[in-house]
Amino acid sequence: VADKFVGRYIISKNLPDNMNDIEFLSPPLEVKNLYLCISKITPDAEKKMEMFNKGLKELDKEGTLNSIMKKHGF
């Protein structure tokens, strides 16, 4: 059992000729949320987090985020 993307990476590095023999099941066993962490001791940490969140909202609003997600199999 492996994360879809980790599994693809491991297979591509170790068994590239078997890449088409692997089937990923749906729905996944587990879905995990991902988070961005910025240390509080980072200069302007709060401002950087605000800028990241603003940019992410803009990407989502214009549809770019969805395109990126689809491109990478999400």
Side-chain angles (χ1 to χ4, degrees):
V1 176
D3 171 85
K4 181 178 181 179
F5 301 100
V6 173
R8 282 184 179 164
Y9 174 79
I10 292 171
I11 293 164
S12 72
K13 293 297 176 189
N14 298 299
L15 301 165
D17 295 337
N18 297 88
M19 196 64 175
N20 293 325
D21 299 331
I22 304 300
E23 179 181 352
F24 293 96
L25 302 177
S26 185
L29 296 174
E30 183 179 14
V31 176
K32 294 183 179 183
N33 293 319
L34 300 175
Y35 301 90
L36 172 69
C37 299
I38 298 176
S39 172
K40 291 181 181 181
I41 63 171
T42 299
D44 299 320
E46 191 172 320
K47 182 177 180 180
K48 289 176 182 176
M49 185 62 76
E50 288 173 8
M51 291 173 60
F52 175 85
N53 288 332
K54 181 181 177 190
L56 188 61
K57 285 180 185 177
E58 288 177 16
L59 291 174
D60 188 31
K61 184 178 178 181
E62 64 189 24
T64 303
L65 183 59
N66 191 43
S67 296
I68 292 169
M69 299 285 280
K70 283 184 179 180
K71 179 180 177 182
H72 295 283
F74 289 93

